[in-house]
Amino acid sequence: MPIHNKLVRDRIPEIIKSTGKLAVTKILDEEEYVTELRRKSKEELDEFLNSETNEEALEELADLLEIIHALAKVHAANIDKVEQIRLKKAEERGSFDERIFLIEVLDE
């Protein structure tokens, strides 16, 4: 059996059990949880970057969003607070809709 040593979604042990296998798990303390959420965010971002279809990309974006929800909670907020911050930054600095690519900044 492979050793995974990674944060998984809450229902994964139940899903593994339904296949007749046993999932060996532990509950992380707060520090471990934040570390593993950060590690998981990198894993999911890599999976998004390696996606080859729109469907795969959307699946990975959904996984990233789930991680963002969890990270917001550990930082004493929720996704609504993150969205408020996002909207404020979009108003002040813009979004990425116009596809602007900055090449360099020159002194005048």
Side-chain angles (χ1 to χ4, degrees):
M1 288 290 188
I3 295 176
H4 294 281
N5 286 330
K6 68 179 186 175
L7 183 65
V8 295
R9 290 175 177 264
D10 298 341
R11 294 194 59 222
I12 295 301
E14 171 188 330
I15 292 167
I16 291 169
K17 185 177 180 180
S18 74
T19 68
K21 297 177 182 175
L22 176 64
V24 178
T25 64
K26 75 173 189 172
I27 303 301
L28 301 173
D29 66 29
E30 191 72 15
E31 185 178 326
E32 291 170 319
Y33 180 53
V34 172
T35 297
E36 292 304 321
L37 278 171
R38 289 172 182 247
R39 181 175 290 136
K40 189 72 170 180
S41 69
K42 289 179 185 178
E43 175 189 328
E44 297 300 345
L45 180 58
D46 285 343
E47 289 176 5
F48 168 74
L49 293 172
N50 292 314
S51 62
E52 296 181 359
T53 67
N54 284 339
E55 184 177 326
E56 288 175 359
L58 291 173
E59 286 285 328
E60 300 310 329
L61 286 173
D63 289 343
L64 279 165
L65 189 54
E66 192 67 38
I67 297 296
I68 291 168
H69 277 263
L71 283 166
K73 286 179 189 175
V74 301
H75 291 288
N78 59 34
I79 200 65
D80 294 332
K81 178 67 176 174
V82 174
E83 180 65 6
Q84 287 174 357
I85 295 167
R86 184 194 72 79
L87 289 172
K88 183 176 185 243
K89 289 181 87 168
E91 182 180 317
E92 292 172 356
R93 302 183 65 141
S95 58
F96 296 98
D97 294 337
E98 295 181 25
R99 304 177 185 186
I100 298 170
F101 185 80
L102 181 63
I103 297 169
E104 66 180 314
V105 176
L106 304 173
D107 289 332
E108 293 189 65

